[in-house]
Amino acid sequence: MTAPADQASFVAIAQALRAHDDYIVCGHVSPDGDCIGSVLGMTAILKALGKEVQPVVALKEPLDAALLSIPGAASLADVLEARPAATFIAVDASGDDRLGPAACALRQAARFTITLDHHEVSECQADIFHIDPSAPSATCLVWEVAKAAKVPLGVDLAGPCYTGLMTDTGRFQYQNADQRAFALASEMAATGINIAGISTAFYQSKTWAAVQMEALAAQRMELLGDGSVAFSFIAQEDMDRFCASYADCEGVIDILRSIGQVRVACILKARGDEVRGSLRAKDGTDVSAIAGRFGGGGHKAAAGFTLAGPLDEAIVQVKAALQEALGC
Ligand SMILES: [Mn+2]
């Protein structure tokens, strides 16, 4: 991968924030804790600078209870309802595919564009950007910008930033939970945020249907090859039976990877005419390369893809690809 050229310093981004006005802050499609945390954190910075800002996310599906537990998340507007603004900031997302068509149109309409991201990208279209794949979360970059902008580091900023860091590091358990992650978490904790409260609100807010989806996926789970790859799926009928939403299926993959000998977990979820695949690695396997075979992407330890067509065909195709890619 080639690093994008002309990476801006946090100070340069802070200066750009002061220089412009009328902002849209937008995250990626299928928003997660880091996406929502980055949008809310950046919004807090801009408000502290006295700027007009519309924080938006793609609300194609309603946010789940965990995401709604982040203070301010309930008031986020749908990207489809945003009015074009002079300045567009993309957080936790760089490419058109991650932003989705509605956000891309808003970015095109803006006169100045900024991107903060921690995903691998070969180029970045923004006027000014900071892309650091070694950053534990996008909210860490937002936090650095806040410090460079010299805005007050209060709980309204630290809360969402900590939530993004907590979720993208898998509660400080993944490979990206490095010294930097703990150092930044310590800075955020120093503001007086309620660490235990944030954790409880986020991780102990499952719905009954979500637990039913976990039970179902666990029951039909297959261990492929030598047993190091866990595979399962959720069909539309399963969701209908338990009145489960797509959000209710989000945590299912964690059940698959919790088994001792499993090093890679994969779940397929039917969504209308499409099938969405999620992949997680526990041992350093690069699952973004496997997702890439299906036109998807993500991080080394967590990636996803979307396939057109029926679930039964996707199951056969993905199982074969997993066995081939992982030699199991
Ligand atoms: Mn992220």
Side-chain angles (χ1 to χ4, degrees), residues 28 32 34-35 92 98 118-119 137-138 168 299:
H28 53 78
D32 57 13
D34 191 31
C35 166
D92 200 26
R98 292 258 304 162
H118 71 137
H119 294 85
S137 68
D168 257 27
H299 297 288

Side-chain angles (χ1 to χ4, degrees), residues 114-140:
I114 301 173
T115 294
L116 286 181
D117 193 14
H118 71 137
H119 294 85
E120 300 263 358
V121 284
S122 49
E123 58 169 341
C124 184
Q125 294 172 5
D127 293 313
I128 186 167
F129 58 86
H130 190 94
I131 291 170
D132 177 5
S134 74
S137 68
T139 59
C140 288

Side-chain angles (χ1 to χ4, degrees), residues 25-75:
V25 182
C26 184
H28 53 78
V29 291
S30 305
D32 57 13
D34 191 31
C35 166
I36 304 270
S38 305
V39 170
L40 293 170
M42 183 54 81
T43 300
I45 298 174
L46 291 165
K47 284 188 173 162
L49 293 173
K51 304 294 181 182
E52 189 160 329
V53 49
Q54 300 176 74
V56 298
V57 285
L59 291 174
K60 199 169 146 198
E61 294 117 27
L63 299 179
D64 65 21
L67 293 173
L68 285 172
S69 79
I70 309 173
S75 62

Side-chain angles (χ1 to χ4, degrees), residues 282-297:
K282 274 160 76 177
D283 69 342
T285 302
D286 182 5
V287 289
S288 70
I290 302 172
R293 289 177 171 218
F294 300 110

